[in-house]
């Protein structure tokens, strides 16, 4: 009888994972996650580029609408910020040139110091990281809503991945976005 008392009892089966199994699972997740990060980063860069181009196209439409509404020339003027060496543009009522430094991030407007009456809008490249302007030109839209230049203007943007989009303005003042190089998902290729 004493032999039966001293025999080891069977160990109950434990459910769950060992530390080694958890570490192997985490290592696999880290490897899969590190493979997904580059493609996610490229997607974010592409989306930012498309957003900037569409934003400019919308601002060009707004420039045309404001020219018709105000009955005077309205310009979209490009400039460079001095500190960050980034691009910016402003929508300005009137045909006169804007004072230098209109892009400076330090310029702010408030109720006590309102913006100049001619400055309708200012957009800074600081708000669009990873997107640069390859080609730009000031664009003036006449009071009848028609582009006032001889050649239809275009603005070219690029992202860090090398993709390029163009925003083109036709003679009637309508803006379109096309792909100059890179992935053409929902946009047409430039011709």
């Amino acid at each position: 009888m004493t032999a039966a008392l001293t025999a080891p009892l069977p160990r109950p089966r434990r459910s769950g994972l060992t530390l080694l199994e958890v570490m192997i699972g985490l290592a696999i997740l880290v490897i899969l996650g590190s493979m997904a990060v580059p493609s996610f980063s490229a997607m974010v860069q592409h989306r930012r580029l498309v957003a900037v181009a569409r934003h400019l196209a919308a601002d060009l439409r707004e420039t045309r609408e404001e020219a018709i509404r105000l009955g005077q020339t309205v310009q979209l003027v490009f400039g460079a910020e001095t500190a960050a060496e980034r691009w910016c543009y402003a929508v300005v009522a009137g045909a006169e040139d804007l004072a230098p430094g209109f892009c400076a991030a330090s310029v702010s407007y408030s109720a006590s110091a309102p913006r100049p009456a001619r400055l309708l809008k200012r957009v800074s490249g600081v708000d669009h990281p990873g997107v640069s302007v390859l080609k730009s030109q000031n664009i003036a839209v006449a009071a009848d809503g028609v582009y006032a230049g001889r050649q239809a203007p275009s603005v070219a943007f690029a992202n860090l991945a090398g993709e390029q989009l163009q925003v083109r303005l036709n003679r009637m003042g309508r803006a379109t976005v096309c792909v100059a190089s890179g992935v053409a998902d929902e946009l047409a290729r430039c011709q």
Side-chain angles (χ1 to χ4, degrees):
M1 197 142 172
T2 59
L5 291 175
T6 60
L9 296 172
R11 287 177 58 188
R13 185 144 172 87
R14 293 185 183 163
S15 61
L17 301 173
T18 65
L19 181 61
L20 180 61
E21 292 169 332
V22 170
M23 294 304 289
I24 290 172
L26 284 175
I28 291 171
L29 283 175
V30 166
I31 291 169
L32 290 175
S34 67
M35 290 174 14
V37 166
S39 67
F40 181 73
S41 175
M43 182 197 63
V44 168
Q45 288 179 6
H46 176 73
R47 298 293 357 144
R48 283 182 178 161
L49 180 63
V50 170
V52 167
R54 287 186 172 159
H55 191 173
L56 176 62
D59 287 341
L60 284 168
R61 285 189 289 276
E62 181 182 354
T63 301
R64 181 174 186 259
E65 291 167 6
E66 286 297 309
I68 293 169
R69 186 181 70 79
L70 296 172
Q72 67 179 28
T73 299
V74 175
Q75 299 182 79
L76 191 132
V77 182
F78 278 86
E81 295 177 348
T82 55
E85 291 298 321
R86 291 203 178 240
W87 56 271
C88 79
Y89 64 84
V91 177
V92 184
E96 308 87 31
D97 288 335
L98 237 126
F102 73 91
C103 280
S106 61
V107 176
S108 61
Y109 306 107
S110 64
S112 61
R115 65 183 178 192
R118 297 179 329 116
L119 181 61
L120 303 175
K121 183 175 191 175
R122 183 181 66 190
V123 175
S124 173
V126 173
D127 298 328
H128 306 284
V131 177
S132 59
V133 173
L134 299 178
K135 177 182 91 169
S136 68
Q137 64 190 88
N138 296 344
I139 300 167
V141 178
D144 58 1
V146 176
Y147 168 65
R150 291 193 175 140
Q151 291 182 340
S154 68
V155 177
F157 292 103
N159 64 12
L160 298 173
E163 295 176 303
Q164 296 179 16
L165 295 182
Q166 284 186 0
V167 180
R168 295 179 173 176
L169 189 68
N170 69 16
R171 187 88 174 108
M172 292 304 298
R174 291 184 175 82
T176 57
V177 179
C178 62
V179 178
S181 70
V183 179
D185 48 3
E186 72 273 8
L187 299 171
R189 289 224 173 259
C190 298
Q191 297 175 3

